């Protein structure tokens, strides 16, 4: 699936703030079907920099009904690809991308939408909000946190949406430099100001600590976990899945991929994705932090534990699915199938 990254040409470059750039990308006509996307999804860029190949996920900040495919990249201090894109992306340039993916999307639901975004987390959230307002009758309440007014991405586009849908979109900006960093009381008071907190789907995207705080507060307010949708851009801190935390008993990993079966001797500490690479196989992957779902496969024999999983629900995990980039074998033999 990921062998064929397609060349997308940069049609437009918009410097949204001093540290965020939007790129409108043209998809070659013969790739149009593969690059159809749903609001909230991301694509994977592959760039060669400093003599190495790097893959990074970027969410679409556009909504499909606009006919555009746009990503928005915020500088990560010290980050390689985000700064390179902000500094050098130019009209006419080519970026190599794998097709859109992701589960941070609008479901069939007709419930209200309550969205929490912070910083670059607005990217998929803007896409979702725009799509929901354009293509459904759902009401949307958006809480958007930034350090300061200057760091707000899409300030004007959001104001325009609010003007166009005064009865359906409630937009609340939060500025840390004015009101302090977001705390549980702020989230609680935003929830209180809405109609019915139980009759809504919740979407959360932003830096890890912001997401953790909002998730905890929303759950504490009694919202069922199934109503929460989270998109993480970075791995949560903590368990790194080193050799000491895996089963010393694991001997081999059997991989079924592209109608071939390959057996790999297990090296302590390796994830299943690393085993696949050791075998010289080409399996799909992207974020490598358990957030995107690109690397999902199914364990049909044996077991593994996931260091981080932001993608699979309990039923899928019970059915044997794992994000292989985070899956550490815990049984003598593990057999994994890429379906
Ligand atoms: C599903 C998904 C969607 C995403 N969507 C977006 C989006 O819409 N917009 C967006 O801006 N981002 C998005 N991201 C994040 C994006 O993929 C990148 O992770 C981000 O741009 C940083 O990449 P980078 O190459 O600039 O940073 P990297 O070079 O990967 O560095 C990341 C951080 O690690 C630090 N670091 C790097 N190497 C070391 C080292 N050796 N030791 C210590 N620290 C180090 C850097 O200083 C930096 O702070 C998304 C991520 C996911 C998983
Ligand atoms: S590569 Fe993204 S979840 Fe594994």
């Amino acid at each position: 699936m990921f062998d064929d990254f397609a060349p997308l040409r940069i049609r437009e470059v918009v410097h949204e703030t001093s540290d965020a750039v939007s790129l409108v990308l043209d998809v070659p006509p013969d790739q149009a079907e593969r690059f159809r996307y749903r609001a909230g999804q991301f694509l994977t860029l592959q760039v060669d920099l400093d003599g190495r190949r790097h893959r990074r996920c970027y969410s679409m900040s556009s909504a499909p009904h606009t006919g555009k495919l746009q990503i928005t990249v915020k500088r990560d201090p010290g980050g390689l690809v985000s700064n390179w894109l902000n500094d050098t992306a130019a009209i006419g340039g080519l970026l190599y991308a794998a097709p859109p993916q992701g589960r941070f999307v609008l479901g069939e639901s007709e419930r209200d939408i309550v969205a929490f975004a912070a910083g670059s987390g607005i990217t998929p959230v803007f896409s979702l909000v725009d799509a929901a307002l354009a293509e459904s009758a759902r009401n949307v309440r958006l809480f958007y946190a930034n350090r300061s007014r200057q760091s707000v991405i899409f300030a004007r586009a959001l104001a325009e949406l609010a003007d166009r849908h005064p009865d359906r979109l409630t937009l609340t900006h939060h500025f840390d430099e004015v009101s302090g960093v977001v705390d549980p009381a702020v989230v609680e008071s935003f929830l209180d100001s809405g109609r019915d907190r139980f009759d809504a789907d919740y979407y959360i995207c932003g830096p890890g600590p912001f997401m953790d705080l909002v998730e905890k507060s929303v759950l504490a307010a009694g919202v069922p976990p199934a109503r929460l949708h989270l998109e993480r851009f970075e791995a949560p801190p903590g368990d790194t899945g080193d050799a000491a935390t895996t089963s010393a008993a694991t001997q081999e990993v059997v991989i079924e991929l592209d109608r071939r079966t390959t057996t790999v001797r297990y090296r302590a500490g390796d994830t299943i994705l690393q085993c696949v690479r050791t075998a010289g196989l080409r399996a799909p992957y992207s974020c490598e932090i358990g957030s995107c779902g690109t690397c999902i496969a199914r364990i049909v024999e044996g077991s593994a534990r996931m260091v981080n999983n932001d993608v699979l629900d309990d039923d899928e995990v019970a059915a044997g699915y794992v994000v292989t980039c985070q899956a550490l074998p815990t049984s003598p033999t593990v057999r994994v199938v890429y379906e």
Side-chain angles (χ1 to χ4, degrees):
M1 176 208 302
F2 268 35
D3 288 349
D4 45 351
F5 279 70
L8 310 188
R9 198 166 289 285
I10 301 174
R11 188 202 313 165
E12 235 177 277
V13 177
V14 181
H15 290 279
E16 305 280 358
T17 65
S18 58
D19 62 0
V21 67
S22 288
L23 307 175
V24 179
L25 304 172
D26 276 335
V27 176
D30 64 335
Q31 298 287 328
E33 198 49 43
R34 289 175 73 225
F35 278 81
R36 279 163 66 99
Y37 67 96
R38 294 177 68 185
Q41 288 190 311
F42 64 89
L43 48 72
T44 303
L45 295 187
Q46 179 164 280
V47 302
D48 293 330
L49 274 179
D50 298 344
R52 285 190 55 200
R53 181 154 285 181
H54 308 271
R55 286 183 184 177
R56 297 288 186 274
C57 307
Y58 291 105
S59 308
M60 262 63 77
S61 51
S62 52
H65 72 273
T66 62
K68 282 205 300 197
L69 190 153
Q70 172 182 292
I71 58 171
T72 301
V73 181
K74 184 167 180 185
R75 288 182 194 274
D76 196 326
L80 190 66
V81 176
S82 60
N83 285 293
W84 176 75
L85 287 168
N86 270 273
D87 291 336
T88 67
I91 293 172
L94 279 182
L95 290 174
Y96 286 82
Q101 296 228 323
R103 299 172 162 209
F104 190 65
V105 294
L106 299 170
E108 293 302 307
S109 158
E110 289 174 5
R111 286 184 284 269
D112 286 359
I113 291 168
V114 180
F116 289 88
S120 60
I122 191 63
T123 307
V125 170
F126 184 83
S127 171
L128 290 169
V129 169
D130 194 6
L133 292 170
E135 293 169 349
S136 78
R138 301 172 75 176
N139 294 316
V140 180
R141 300 183 57 236
L142 170 60
F143 178 93
Y144 182 18
N146 279 284
R147 223 166 286 143
S148 67
R149 198 173 286 279
Q150 291 71 38
S151 43
V152 176
I153 305 173
F154 307 140
R156 189 186 307 167
L158 282 167
E160 282 170 8
L161 274 186
D163 282 348
R164 222 178 308 143
H165 303 279
D167 303 330
R168 292 180 53 213
L169 173 61
T170 310
L171 174 60
T172 300
H173 283 286
H174 175 99
F175 303 117
D176 294 354
E177 68 175 21
V178 176
S179 316
V181 289
V182 176
D183 63 19
V186 170
V187 177
E188 181 62 27
S189 109
F190 180 73
L191 292 175
D192 277 347
S193 64
R195 275 192 329 139
D196 178 358
R197 65 176 64 172
F198 300 111
D199 194 24
D201 292 313
Y202 290 77
Y203 289 84
I204 308 170
C205 188
F210 169 84
M211 293 187 64
D212 294 343
L213 183 141
V214 174
E215 180 185 14
K216 233 191 220 167
S217 305
V218 171
L219 290 174
V223 173
R227 293 279 176 80
L228 266 63
H229 306 265
L230 285 83
E231 185 78 311
R232 288 190 189 275
F233 287 180
E234 60 203 47
D239 187 351
T240 53
D242 60 18
T245 63
T246 58
S247 164
T250 302
Q251 304 281 317
E252 61 181 24
V253 175
V254 183
I255 302 150
E256 293 183 28
L257 172 69
D258 292 339
R259 289 195 288 271
R260 272 179 56 202
T261 301
T262 310
T263 301
V264 189
R265 232 187 125 66
Y266 183 65
R267 209 172 48 191
D270 277 2
T271 62
I272 289 177
L273 179 62
Q274 284 165 331
C275 297
V276 170
R277 287 203 192 117
T278 303
L281 302 171
R282 295 164 73 100
Y285 72 92
S286 179
C287 72
E288 297 195 65
I289 58 171
S291 281
C292 74
T294 308
C295 66
I296 289 171
R298 187 175 196 171
I299 292 183
V300 294
E301 184 189 332
S303 57
R305 73 173 183 88
M306 285 181 277
V307 177
N308 181 49
N309 163 34
D310 294 325
V311 186
L312 298 164
D313 63 27
D314 292 347
D315 290 344
E316 290 166 320
V317 173
Y321 289 98
V322 289
V323 279
T324 56
C325 68
Q326 299 292 307
L328 297 164
T330 52
S331 57
T333 297
V334 174
R335 191 178 191 94
V336 62
V337 179
Y338 284 85
E339 294 176 336

